[in-house]
């Protein structure tokens, strides 16, 4: 209402960070309150460790899927790759239907107190996007997980949204990945 609606034009699109949606849905957990299971401790050894951040290898983040009873679906690539012994190089946990990629760990540049929280992917991102589109009256809403490594579209307000175009628009991660703290962007076609 304050930072987006007054500036919207009819054909604008809203791009919103998945992190802010997850926080607003109560899907953020203080890392000191997450009980890490022995299985999570074992499995995190096989997760690709990105040089850009702590990634899914952080034990506090890795146990979150079991907290929400999504553990079997989340870990199914593990069982498919066990026989091939390619766990670490395959990055299998990074590609679990967007669920793994969208889990964010604590980081210094997130606004307090969420700089000490792990965040799950947002629940029903397509539904959230459709609701925000209806509320704002904009052309489309895109729920985005963008960082300096890549871009994932987690939700769109309607099937007509061109996902590849959205990824291209966010190729340089205009919301920023550090101190910018910009969870929402208005995207406007210019003539």
């Amino acid at each position: 209402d304050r930072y987006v609606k007054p500036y919207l034009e009819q054909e604008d699109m809203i791009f919103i960070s998945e992190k802010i949606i997850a926080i607003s849905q109560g899907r953020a957990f203080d890392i000191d309150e997450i009980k890490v299971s022995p299985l999570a401790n074992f499995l995190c050894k096989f997760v690709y460790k990105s040089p850009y951040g702590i990634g899914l290898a952080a034990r506090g983040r890795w146990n979150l899927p079991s907290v929400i009873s999504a553990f079997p679906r989340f870990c199914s690539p593990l069982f498919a790759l066990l026989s091939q012994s390619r766990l670490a190089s395959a990055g299998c946990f990074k590609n679990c239907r967007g669920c793994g990629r969208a889990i964010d760990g604590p980081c210094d540049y997130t606004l307090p107190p969420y700089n000490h929280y792990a965040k799950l992917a947002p629940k029903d991102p397509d539904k959230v996007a459709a609701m925000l589109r209806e509320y704002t009256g904009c052309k489309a809403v895109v729920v985005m997980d963008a960082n300096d490594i890549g871009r994932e579209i987690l939700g769109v307000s309607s099937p007509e949204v061109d996902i590849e175009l959205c990824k291209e628009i966010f190729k340089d991660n205009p919301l920023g990945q550090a101190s910018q703290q910009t969870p929402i962007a208005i995207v406007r076609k210019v003539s």
Side-chain angles (χ1 to χ4, degrees):
D1 284 337
R2 183 184 300 175
Y3 299 108
V4 177
K5 275 182 95 173
Y7 306 100
L8 282 175
E9 294 181 7
Q10 189 172 5
E11 292 299 307
D12 287 349
M13 296 172 63
I14 297 172
F15 281 56
I16 185 166
S17 165
E18 96 297 344
K19 187 182 298 184
I20 197 72
I21 294 171
I23 290 170
S24 71
Q25 292 175 331
R27 296 173 64 80
F29 302 87
D30 188 319
I31 59 171
D32 290 338
E33 296 176 10
I34 297 171
K35 183 177 178 186
V36 181
S37 70
L39 180 59
N41 274 325
F42 170 74
L43 291 174
C44 75
K45 296 174 187 174
F46 301 104
V47 178
Y48 172 72
K49 292 164 181 66
S50 166
Y52 300 103
I54 60 173
L56 281 174
R59 287 183 174 90
R61 287 176 69 189
W62 191 217
N63 202 43
L64 285 173
S66 63
V67 172
I68 59 166
S69 304
F71 199 71
R73 177 177 57 103
F74 188 77
C75 292
S76 60
L78 166 67
F79 304 112
L81 291 172
L82 270 174
S83 62
Q84 300 175 25
S85 299
R86 296 185 343 208
L87 292 172
S89 63
C92 63
F93 298 114
K94 243 349 215 178
N95 295 305
C96 302
R97 299 175 61 190
C99 177
R101 274 185 204 274
I103 296 175
D104 285 322
C107 53
D108 293 337
Y109 51 80
T110 299
L111 288 172
Y114 296 102
N115 57 338
H116 197 258
Y117 279 58
K119 281 90 47 196
L120 293 172
K123 184 176 181 182
D124 301 320
D126 287 328
K127 185 177 176 181
V128 171
M131 180 189 71
L132 288 172
R133 177 182 175 224
E134 179 74 24
Y135 181 75
T136 62
C138 68
K139 179 180 177 181
V141 174
V142 177
V143 178
M144 188 97 191
D145 181 10
N147 55 46
D148 295 337
I149 303 171
R151 297 144 338 270
E152 290 291 324
I153 307 296
L154 299 181
V156 291
S157 56
S158 66
E160 294 85 40
V161 174
D162 184 341
I163 295 202
E164 291 308 313
L165 175 63
C166 293
K167 286 183 178 181
E168 190 62 28
I169 290 169
F170 268 66
K171 188 174 185 175
D172 63 349
N173 193 16
L175 291 181
Q177 192 61 26
S179 61
Q180 294 88 352
Q181 301 170 340
T182 311
I184 305 171
I186 296 172
V187 174
R188 178 173 300 149
K189 185 176 182 178
V190 294
S191 33

